[in-house]
Amino acid sequence: MSGPARRGLGAAPAAASEVPDVLGPDLRVVFCGINPGFVSAAAAAHFANPRNDFWRLLHAAGFTPRLLRPDEQFEVLGFGIGLTNAAYRTTKGSGDLRRADFAGSSERLERLARELRPDLIAFVGKEAYRGAYGERPALGLQKRQLGETRLFVLPSTSPANAAVPYDERLRWFRKLSRASG
């Protein structure tokens, strides 16, 4: 892929997702989801399920001046935001992922941090972080860093995460916004 979307930063499997990484240098935050679901793969866009709160939370927390649609995902680069996934394989749900789906994920994220120098990588859900690093994180800023890049864990924005209310998710997105300046 040419232009600002970069896929050359990692070991994407041969059957990589149709959802492209949206990345560029010196970003404020790179949001790292766990993996694309069927709706996102069909739309070739991150967080495309209309019941997923990601785009609403991004706007409500002040990351974007207006509510973006998933098909406008490349516009986030202009706001200092990038998008990627910990695993590329498309599944019905994250419970269908296997350890092998995350092979090379931590190394790819380390390369991304080294080459693109984002201030933060924000994992959208504890399972995205656990998939990459094999550890169960708490929400918020992590002790682990990738060089100068700080790591932050948000609650999942998936409709499957109905146990965490919207207001609680928004609180964490606002904490991330403050942490990213």
Side-chain angles (χ1 to χ4, degrees):
M1 236 175 218
S2 63
R6 296 190 45 190
R7 201 158 222 161
L9 285 173
S17 168
E18 293 299 318
V19 179
D21 282 343
V22 178
L23 298 171
D26 300 315
L27 296 170
R28 178 176 161 198
V29 179
V30 171
F31 288 90
C32 181
I34 188 166
N35 76 307
F38 289 136
V39 175
S40 289
H46 292 269
F47 306 104
N49 184 326
R51 293 181 11 230
N52 191 302
D53 287 327
F54 177 81
W55 296 102
R56 287 180 290 279
L57 289 163
L58 198 67
H59 173 62
F63 284 100
T64 60
R66 67 177 180 83
L67 179 60
L68 297 173
R69 297 182 318 265
D71 65 336
E72 297 176 302
Q73 66 187 352
F74 287 97
E75 290 188 30
V76 298
L77 291 169
F79 305 117
I81 296 168
L83 303 167
T84 191
N85 282 299
Y88 285 122
R89 185 167 71 91
T90 299
T91 61
K92 180 179 178 179
S94 61
D96 296 327
L97 291 169
R98 302 294 170 249
R99 189 77 215 137
D101 292 317
F102 296 97
S105 180
S106 64
E107 294 84 1
R108 183 176 58 83
L109 292 170
E110 288 171 23
R111 246 186 332 279
L112 183 154
R114 184 177 59 250
E115 293 177 13
L116 301 181
R117 299 175 313 281
D119 184 39
L120 285 147
I121 295 175
F123 294 85
V124 185
K126 292 179 179 182
E127 291 304 306
Y129 184 94
R130 188 168 75 101
Y133 297 107
E135 303 166 0
R136 291 191 182 274
L139 294 174
L141 202 56
Q142 304 299 300
K143 289 181 184 176
R144 177 190 303 271
Q145 286 195 189
L146 303 179
E148 297 298 313
T149 299
R150 298 173 295 153
L151 305 182
F152 196 99
V153 176
L154 295 161
S156 172
T157 60
S158 167
N161 189 24
V164 179
Y166 180 88
D167 288 345
E168 179 70 7
R169 295 179 203 190
L170 180 56
R171 186 171 71 80
W172 285 103
F173 267 72
R174 285 180 172 154
K175 282 185 179 193
L176 173 64
S177 182
R178 286 190 301 274
S180 68

